[in-house]
Amino acid sequence: MSEPQTEYDTPWKDALERYFEEFIAFFFPQAHGDIDWQRGYEFLDKELQQVVRDAELGRRLVDKLVKIYRAGGEETWVLVHIEVQNQEESNFAERMYVYHYRIFDRYKRSIASLAVLGDERAGWRPERFSDELWGCEVNFRFPVVKLLDYQESWQALERSRNPFATVVMAHLKAQETRDDARGRFSSKLYLTRRLYEQGYEREDVINLFGFIDWVMNLPAQLEQDFWREVSQLQEERRMPYITSVERIGIEKGIEQSRQQMREILLESIALGLDLKFGSEGLIILPEISEIQEVEQLRAILNGLKTVNALSELRQIYSKFEVYEVQ
């Protein structure tokens, strides 16, 4: 049976945009109490892209810049920079610092840089960047939430009605069952059943199921078995929330988001080829543009940081072709 594959960036981005207030309440309750939610908030994705476009090759899909208003009545607002990082990265703290000071330089506003770490290494907890030379010192600290820590409070997650309790549970179970399709089937069914048991509104059931369905994809046969179980569950509870129409919508949304991500990665690769190899580098762009899998494109983009020749870059995506033939 084929191994389940998982992609986290887009579902996290969607969840953040749908449930931003709940996100802050769940992960950063102190900040939540200092925000005037009645005045609303505004996502500044385009502004963030402009601010950090030179900070690194490409961009992180779950960087979110949000304008909010603080409680107390003062006419001010802060920018909340959120990172959901799913892989260990040696220069992560430095990048957080670079983003922070670039945003400050542009807006001259107070900034809260918040990090949610979704990787699987318990000891990796970057929360500070410092630099010192001849008495000139920089010491930048930022709050970090480690999703792995929630494994120790699983019962609290099960009781919580905050949507991000479901998000965290699905994220952790997706990682835990990466090599276990049967285990993923059971966990996915459990988390879906829990949506009904928690008494969520229909829209929330559909939204949260969309996250679960994305990060906990199954092989074809188990997927069919799963949908039969879901249909039976909905009949028993007389809650036909996830109909064939919603399911098609979820699948179309996933496919559309994947295509958008693919286009973004191709743009970043084209920029990287031009910056590193000049016009010669763009010669292989048509080959790369034929690649459909997002993970392959991400591997190419990451490879651009270390390769010294186009032949080395070709080796990266040639490996995938070999695996497919086998």
Side-chain angles (χ1 to χ4, degrees), residues 155-193:
Q155 291 183 347
L157 289 176
E158 291 178 322
R159 293 192 299 268
S160 175
R161 296 192 75 255
N162 188 303
F164 273 90
T166 299
V167 168
V168 171
M169 293 168 76
H171 183 103
L172 293 175
K173 284 298 182 182
Q175 290 179 331
E176 179 183 318
T177 60
R178 181 182 292 109
D179 302 318
D180 180 9
R182 288 287 179 183
R184 177 168 290 192
F185 169 84
S186 298
S187 295
K188 184 175 182 177
L189 186 59
Y190 164 74
L191 291 173
T192 302
R193 185 183 301 275

Side-chain angles (χ1 to χ4, degrees), residues 7 10-11 14 210 213-215 217 246-264 291-294 297:
E7 186 267 307
T10 302
D14 291 345
D213 195 38
W214 187 304
V215 302
N217 58 319
E246 277 78 33
R247 183 183 177 188
I248 292 171
I250 290 170
E251 292 173 347
K252 285 184 176 179
I254 290 174
E255 181 59 30
Q256 183 180 14
S257 295
R258 283 178 177 151
Q259 288 301 319
Q260 291 173 347
M261 186 187 308
R262 180 177 175 274
E263 293 171 4
I264 291 168
I291 297 173
Q292 299 298 316
E293 293 298 322
V294 168
L297 293 173

Side-chain angles (χ1 to χ4, degrees), residues 17-219:
E17 291 177 349
R18 285 193 174 104
Y19 301 110
F20 176 67
E21 181 178 353
E22 291 86 349
F23 169 86
I24 295 295
F26 189 82
F27 292 116
F28 305 101
Q30 181 178 357
H32 182 271
D34 190 44
I35 295 174
D36 186 351
W37 295 103
Q38 293 185 350
R39 298 187 66 177
Y41 51 86
E42 178 184 357
F43 289 101
L44 304 174
D45 291 357
K46 292 183 179 179
E47 289 81 352
L48 178 62
Q49 292 177 34
Q50 294 172 1
V51 169
V52 303
R53 64 179 180 271
D54 298 324
E56 64 173 347
L57 187 61
R59 69 184 183 92
R60 291 286 189 272
L61 292 179
V62 198
D63 286 353
K64 304 300 294 183
L65 193 60
V66 191
K67 182 172 75 172
I68 57 93
Y69 294 87
R70 300 184 65 184
E74 65 270 30
E75 291 293 328
T76 185
W77 42 267
V78 299
L79 293 161
V80 181
H81 175 208
I82 300 163
E83 294 269 352
V84 180
Q85 181 76 10
N86 288 312
Q87 293 180 347
E88 182 178 349
E89 183 176 323
S90 59
N91 65 340
F92 179 77
E94 178 182 352
R95 184 160 58 84
M96 288 288 285
Y97 170 66
V98 170
Y99 282 18
H100 188 97
Y101 77 66
R102 289 191 181 207
I103 296 168
F104 177 79
D105 184 57
R106 181 180 179 92
Y107 291 101
K108 300 296 188 296
R109 299 283 185 175
S110 297
I111 305 156
S113 294
L114 311 175
V116 175
L117 305 179
D119 66 290
E120 298 178 67
R121 185 184 168 201
W124 186 61
R125 298 172 185 267
E127 57 186 6
R128 176 184 299 194
F129 172 79
S130 59
D131 188 38
E132 188 274 334
L133 179 63
W134 303 331
C136 179
E137 183 176 355
V138 170
N139 187 20
F140 173 66
R141 297 185 62 182
F142 52 94
V144 168
V145 170
K146 190 81 170 182
L147 297 187
L148 279 180
D149 293 343
Y150 286 90
Q151 290 179 330
E152 299 177 1
S153 54
W154 190 262
Q155 291 183 347
L157 289 176
E158 291 178 322
R159 293 192 299 268
S160 175
R161 296 192 75 255
N162 188 303
F164 273 90
T166 299
V167 168
V168 171
M169 293 168 76
H171 183 103
L172 293 175
K173 284 298 182 182
Q175 290 179 331
E176 179 183 318
T177 60
R178 181 182 292 109
D179 302 318
D180 180 9
R182 288 287 179 183
R184 177 168 290 192
F185 169 84
S186 298
S187 295
K188 184 175 182 177
L189 186 59
Y190 164 74
L191 291 173
T192 302
R193 185 183 301 275
R194 177 180 170 276
L195 296 179
Y196 294 88
E197 294 173 349
Q198 287 287 80
Y200 285 117
E201 297 293 332
R202 181 176 184 273
E203 182 179 357
D204 292 326
V205 170
I206 294 172
N207 290 339
L208 293 172
F209 174 78
F211 185 95
I212 295 169
D213 195 38
W214 187 304
V215 302
M216 304 189 75
N217 58 319
L218 294 165

